Amino acid sequence: MAPEHSGRTELPLQYFLENEYQSLIEIFHWVTNLAASVYTDTTAIVPPEAGYASTTISPNHLLAQEFLLNFKRSSLDLTVPAGVAGYFDFPARSSLTLRPHREEEDDAAGRIVKLPPYQNVNASLGVTVRARRSRRQFSDRAMPLRTLSTILYYASGVTGELPLVSEDNDLQWPSYALGSPGLAQATAASSGGGLNPVSLYLVVERVEGLTEGTYVYLPSTHSLKRLRAADEQIREEHRALGQSWGPNLDPSTVGVAVYYVYSVYENARKYGDLGLLFAAIEAGEMAAHIHLISTATNVGSSDLGGWEKVPTERFLGLDGLSKQLIHATVLGMAV
Ligand SMILES: Cc1cc2nc3c(=O)[nH]c(=O)nc-3n(C[C@H](O)[C@H](O)[C@H](O)COP(=O)(O)O)c2cc1C
């Protein structure tokens, strides 16, 4: 029955679905498929670009575009080049050499799970790249701890050392150095300035010999720091967050959810806004390594874009300000 047309009108859901919904969806699709949504202000349903970017923050309704227009405004602007050059020496060394010491402090607090040595993966690179596919169905077998160790090592483990300065051309270094003088740890995936601002947080549900819970991977010591053990309620809370991942993925089948967390000031001190772009690239490089090693070790993996940012950051115990969630990948043993 149609609603009455006097005073305030109640719109029954069934009526809306039968009579209004279809035309609204058509408007929505039309607006969304415009290359530039010049009609954003005049249509009832806004396209995702305007829905995501707060219209009160961004005058052109697209924060991403504003970012791209402004992160390197002009080559006449000396701020970034001068700042980047000025970052070398003491700040870079203190930041890079202090990291292993921070990890040692965590070890002393008894929150560290030492990972078993990674396994040498001999699979052909070409075959592995061709075989990589996003997998969204997993078996209920637990992942061997050694496999998780291998995936994490090849994603962001320490694979070498890089000299920060050369002894020959920098006479000041002995008096400045903190920690190992002049040596930075080099990691499996590359990182702008070697600053490694992206950390891998894990929500572990099914890994052999690892208590269910939330962890962060510490590359310097190839270990996990336990942030929180999971009980039934915490497990359900994480699975509930997984409802936003999309209908093609059952969160209860995921063995490990990997969250890429960007520590903004780790590289923004040097690169300013450009640091955000670097962090996204670096998360992508780590993700690529994760997918390839997963493919080679019989693990299924898929990237995720559907996660809910603020609730997931809260779940992981992030402040959501200096540490921000920027990407996610789910893992489980292949079916
Ligand atoms: C940044 C990013 C976000 C993604 N988000 C999702 C997602 O939310 N859900 C999903 O099922 N797949 C997601 N994927 C996987 C893509 O759908 C997948 O890579 C694409 O369909 C190509 O398939 P292939 O990876 O098997 O080659 C995402 C991939 C990337 C790189």
Side-chain angles (χ1 to χ4, degrees):
M1 192 179 52
E4 288 172 22
H5 293 280
S6 63
R8 189 182 164 138
T9 306
E10 194 175 316
L11 184 66
L13 179 63
Q14 201 56 32
Y15 177 86
F16 169 76
L17 291 176
E18 283 168 13
N19 298 282
E20 313 267 343
Y21 181 69
Q22 198 51 43
S23 46
L24 282 176
I25 282 294
E26 273 166 32
I27 296 171
F28 178 76
H29 283 168
W30 180 71
V31 174
T32 303
N33 285 307
L34 289 175
S37 302
V38 290
Y39 299 102
T40 290
D41 285 329
T42 53
T43 46
I45 298 185
V46 296
E49 66 178 51
Y52 280 124
S54 160
T55 48
T56 55
I57 295 173
S58 168
N60 65 355
H61 308 297
L62 191 53
L63 279 174
Q65 191 178 47
E66 280 190 36
F67 172 78
L68 292 165
L69 286 169
N70 287 295
F71 81 93
K72 274 191 175 183
R73 266 173 303 181
S74 153
S75 49
L76 296 175
D77 181 350
L78 287 177
T79 317
V80 171
V84 168
Y87 190 80
F88 288 113
D89 215 39
F90 181 75
R93 267 182 271 163
S94 57
S95 158
L96 292 168
T97 55
L98 278 176
R99 188 161 310 170
H101 292 284
R102 286 208 301 264
E103 294 193 9
E104 280 159 25
E105 280 168 23
D106 285 327
D107 200 3
R111 292 184 292 181
I112 298 299
V113 181
K114 196 87 188 121
L115 286 166
Y118 65 92
Q119 153 197 351
N120 195 20
V121 177
N122 285 320
S124 148
L125 186 57
V127 169
T128 310
V129 170
R130 287 197 301 275
R132 183 211 62 79
R133 281 281 82 79
S134 299
R135 312 275 174 206
R136 301 170 184 91
Q137 261 136 33
F138 309 113
S139 93
D140 53 13
R141 275 179 302 133
M143 184 186 296
L145 188 55
R146 185 125 193 251
T147 304
L148 180 63
S149 156
T150 304
I151 292 171
L152 293 172
Y153 179 75
Y154 285 102
S156 92
V158 175
T159 49
E161 284 180 333
L162 285 173
L164 279 171
V165 283
S166 134
E167 235 176 293
D168 301 334
N169 62 20
D170 182 1
L171 297 173
Q172 293 168 311
W173 74 265
S175 58
Y176 274 14
L178 294 168
S180 324
L183 279 180
Q185 292 175 325
T187 47
S190 64
S191 168
L195 293 171
N196 293 102
V198 180
S199 300
L200 298 177
Y201 280 59
L202 312 176
V203 175
V204 169
E205 187 164 329
R206 230 169 286 112
V207 174
E208 281 170 9
L210 195 58
T211 315
E212 244 188 275
T214 308
Y215 297 84
V216 60
Y217 176 57
L218 305 182
S220 298
T221 46
H222 189 52
S223 51
L224 294 176
K225 175 161 79 169
R226 198 181 51 253
L227 302 176
R228 179 164 75 149
D231 55 20
E232 188 105 349
Q233 190 192 335
I234 291 173
R235 184 197 302 147
E236 286 312 315
E237 212 181 302
H238 188 247
R239 287 183 182 183
L241 286 173
Q243 294 307 317
S244 70
W245 296 345
N248 51 4
L249 187 68
D250 175 357
S252 71
T253 63
V254 169
V256 180
V258 181
Y259 292 103
Y260 304 71
V261 174
Y262 172 35
S263 294
V264 180
Y265 300 110
E266 289 286 337
N267 73 351
R269 279 180 296 186
K270 179 175 178 183
Y271 296 116
D273 289 327
L274 177 61
L276 169 60
L277 208 57
F278 282 8
I281 291 166
E282 291 169 30
E285 293 197 15
M286 284 184 199
H289 289 207
I290 289 178
H291 296 308
L292 294 180
I293 298 297
S294 295
T295 304
T297 55
N298 205 29
V299 170
S301 64
S302 176
D303 282 320
L304 288 182
W307 38 272
E308 293 214 48
K309 187 165 185 290
V310 174
T312 311
E313 286 174 343
R314 287 207 187 110
F315 182 88
L316 297 172
L318 305 173
D319 60 13
L321 207 61
S322 67
K323 290 186 194 305
Q324 307 242 2
L325 179 57
I326 57 169
H327 188 40
T329 300
V330 287
L331 306 173
M333 294 311 288
V335 278

